Amino acid sequence: TQLVPAEGVYATRAEIDRRWFDGVTSIGTTPTFGGTESVIESHLFTDWQDFYAKPIRLRFYDRIREQRKFESPEALRRQIELDVESARAILARMPQ
């Protein structure tokens, strides 16, 4: 059985090469940019950049907010900063 969370923004942890990284993950259609295809995008809180084309496993901890369209990319950027703060606070309370 495959489960896909509802569209929105989540506090997540990603496993890559047996290492875990905290992050924030968005599931949805990127409505601010007119997207119509559903995508999953994760921003990991690390400087380690060598994870492109590697298998990834995501653990979802908490839903931060619903997906929505913003009036501008700048407004979206400001919201992402708030989402990152929320995800960091949620994940700080979770066991590693």
Side-chain angles (χ1 to χ4, degrees):
T1 302
Q2 181 178 4
L3 299 175
V4 178
E7 289 187 348
V9 177
Y10 296 84
T12 57
R13 286 198 172 119
E15 182 185 27
I16 305 168
D17 290 338
R18 297 185 213 179
R19 294 175 59 194
W20 286 94
F21 302 93
D22 289 356
V24 64
T25 298
S26 173
I27 300 176
T29 60
T30 64
T32 302
F33 300 102
T36 57
E37 247 182 77
S38 189
V39 296
I40 299 173
E41 299 174 312
S42 290
H43 169 72
L44 305 181
F45 309 151
T46 181
D47 291 332
W48 188 56
Q49 296 293 320
D50 190 22
F51 41 70
Y52 290 97
K54 291 187 181 258
I56 181 174
R57 179 170 63 162
L58 288 173
R59 281 193 184 151
F60 289 76
Y61 287 87
D62 202 359
R63 188 168 191 237
I64 297 170
R65 65 174 173 86
E66 77 288 346
Q67 182 185 52
R68 63 180 181 262
K69 182 177 181 176
F70 291 87
E71 66 272 5
S72 68
E74 178 61 26
L76 173 59
R77 186 190 64 73
R78 287 191 304 269
Q79 181 60 55
I80 290 171
E81 289 174 0
L82 296 173
D83 296 341
V84 166
E85 286 180 29
S86 295
R88 286 185 190 276
I90 291 164
L91 295 168
R93 297 189 307 264
M94 301 295 166
Q96 292 288 327

